[in-house]
Amino acid sequence: MSSTPITKETYLEWYRSMLLMRKFEEKTGQLYGQQKIRGFCHLYIGQEAVMAGTMSVIKPEDSVITAYRDHAHALAKGVSADACMAEMFGKITGCSKGKGGSMHFFSKEHKMMGGHGIVGGQIPLGAGIAFAEKYLGNTNVNVCYMGDGAVRQGAFNETLNMAMTWKLPVIFVCENNGYAMGTSVARTTNMMDIYKMGHGFDMPSAAVDGMDVVAVHNAMDEAVQRARAGEGPTFLEIRTYRYKGHSMSDPAKYRTKEELEEFKGRDPLLSTKAAIVENKYADDAWFAEVDAEIKKIVEDSVKFAEESPYPDASEIYKDVYVQEDYPFIMD
């Protein structure tokens, strides 16, 4: 069970944060259809409880790193909707100065250590960040997210082995939404319980209901406690579901309407709202106020993005190296 209490305020923040993720992604999908957002775009709709349950446990000093379905991770970590939307528009005011787009949100200030396009590429990086935290002697942890397809990469096994050997303060989270692009987990492995892969390294591992924000909170809290105490990493398979396709170009014809409707019946946003109502934590007026607030935040982010300038052409030569006078640059 969680050592971080779940209070009325926790539930209200869960609802607000998940609503922001949901409405931001819905608006993103609309803008993509209008061709105001270009390139690849992967929406998080349905998976919001994973990030909400994480954020009610970790501290601002803790870092997160993920793959290319990264909008919600940045928003949850405190990156403004303005900076996120501007990034997708390719504007200089974006969180990655318009150079990353949808798949590469980054914020050093918020310890959002990037969305990464190479499948599984973020896994060893997450362990590296955790190694740095341990080397510096603090108690910060890294939460490293990946999809169910990424656990087939060799780097996954190599990293889990190293992290367990060195007892690194990292929580590996497989956001198992059932499909690696359009390929179901059942078609890629004989072992459907992905969390059991951690047992090969004697790593504490568990399956978690990713449609239940309370379950995510409790599992993450236990893992974070272990990491802060110097007891090493945890591997969590958080079983969630995306209501949209893998990306905006995916019609998702590989799954049935019945399956989709089943998971929509477990929508974490609706179940959290129901819990708030049942416990009388808020009334209709509060929900209306929050809905209006989130709607305005999203609308303002679009206005901000549209009115922001594109990067100057000279920006292509900046931020390539940390050291501006890097001595090995050749014209």
Side-chain angles (χ1 to χ4, degrees):
M1 293 297 293
S2 172
S3 67
T4 305
I6 299 174
T7 64
K8 168 186 173 180
E9 287 68 31
T10 308
Y11 270 98
L12 298 183
E13 180 55 30
W14 278 341
Y15 181 79
R16 186 188 179 282
S17 64
M18 286 195 285
L19 186 64
L20 175 59
M21 297 177 212
R22 179 70 57 90
K23 295 302 181 183
F24 184 92
E25 293 291 65
E26 289 176 347
K27 177 58 71 174
T28 295
Q30 293 173 10
L31 294 166
Y32 193 92
Q34 298 168 11
Q35 297 189 344
K36 292 185 177 182
I37 295 172
R38 306 293 185 92
F40 294 104
C41 185
H42 307 80
L43 302 182
Y44 202 71
I45 297 173
Q47 300 184 207
E48 295 91 350
V50 179
M51 280 312 300
T54 297
M55 293 308 302
S56 53
V57 173
I58 67 172
K59 300 176 180 179
E61 301 82 42
D62 297 323
S63 60
V64 303
I65 191 168
T66 188
Y68 41 76
R69 197 181 305 277
D70 61 352
H71 310 158
H73 299 73
L75 289 169
K77 237 356 204 123
V79 182
S80 71
D82 287 358
C84 291
M85 190 64 77
E87 185 58 39
M88 286 193 284
F89 273 62
K91 300 300 184 71
I92 189 67
T93 53
C95 56
S96 299
K97 299 184 181 179
K99 302 176 184 181
S102 168
M103 299 201 300
H104 303 291
F105 283 19
F106 182 90
S107 175
K108 179 181 178 181
E109 175 189 356
H110 297 94
K111 301 297 285 286
M112 167 62 185
M113 309 309 286
H116 295 262
I118 298 174
V119 176
Q122 75 280 12
I123 301 173
L125 296 178
I129 294 166
F131 176 86
E133 299 286 18
K134 183 172 183 176
Y135 183 84
L136 293 171
N138 58 46
T139 59
N140 298 340
V141 304
N142 174 264
V143 187
C144 178
Y145 298 89
M146 68 203 77
D148 45 278
V151 301
R152 310 303 164 196
Q153 294 285 1
F156 170 81
N157 293 282
E158 295 167 355
T159 303
L160 261 63
N161 182 62
M162 185 175 289
M164 195 62 192
T165 301
W166 290 348
K167 297 295 185 288
L168 300 181
V170 56
I171 297 104
F172 298 105
V173 176
C174 174
E175 294 190 75
N176 181 4
N177 59 31
Y179 296 94
M181 296 185 72
T183 305
S184 69
V185 175
R187 294 182 61 193
T188 62
T189 180
N190 190 53
M191 185 179 68
M192 296 292 288
D193 294 323
I194 290 175
Y195 75 94
K196 291 180 180 178
M197 297 178 74
H199 293 167
F201 307 97
D202 202 24
M203 184 180 295
S205 306
V208 183
D209 182 358
M211 308 305 282
D212 181 351
V213 68
V214 175
V216 175
H217 173 98
N218 289 337
M220 287 297 304
D221 189 69
E222 183 178 341
V224 168
Q225 288 181 64
R226 183 181 298 117
R228 293 202 203 284
E231 297 173 6
T234 300
F235 178 45
L236 298 177
E237 177 197 349
I238 302 185
R239 295 170 177 172
T240 182
Y241 199 81
R242 52 172 165 81
Y243 297 153
K244 300 296 184 180
H246 170 73
S247 67
M248 289 299 296
S249 60
D250 175 17
K253 292 182 178 180
Y254 42 80
R255 61 186 180 184
T256 65
K257 292 181 179 179
E258 290 76 16
E259 178 185 290
L260 179 59
E261 289 306 312
E262 176 190 348
F263 279 95
K264 282 187 174 180
R266 298 171 56 197
D267 189 332
L269 197 57
L270 297 181
S271 60
T272 301
K273 182 176 183 177
I276 291 171
V277 172
E278 181 181 354
N279 288 287
K280 298 181 180 180
Y281 289 154
D283 54 19
D284 290 343
W286 182 85
F287 284 111
E289 181 182 341
V290 172
D291 290 352
E293 176 196 355
I294 297 302
K295 182 179 179 180
K296 185 176 188 307
I297 288 173
V298 174
E299 288 178 347
D300 288 349
S301 75
V302 178
K303 184 174 185 291
F304 176 80
E306 289 179 330
E307 294 177 352
S308 294
Y310 286 104
D312 185 79
S314 63
E315 282 291 324
I316 196 171
Y317 300 108
K318 298 178 182 177
D319 305 313
V320 179
Y321 300 94
V322 172
Q323 184 178 341
E324 291 189 8
D325 60 343
Y326 188 68
F328 302 109
I329 297 176
M330 299 179 65
D331 293 330

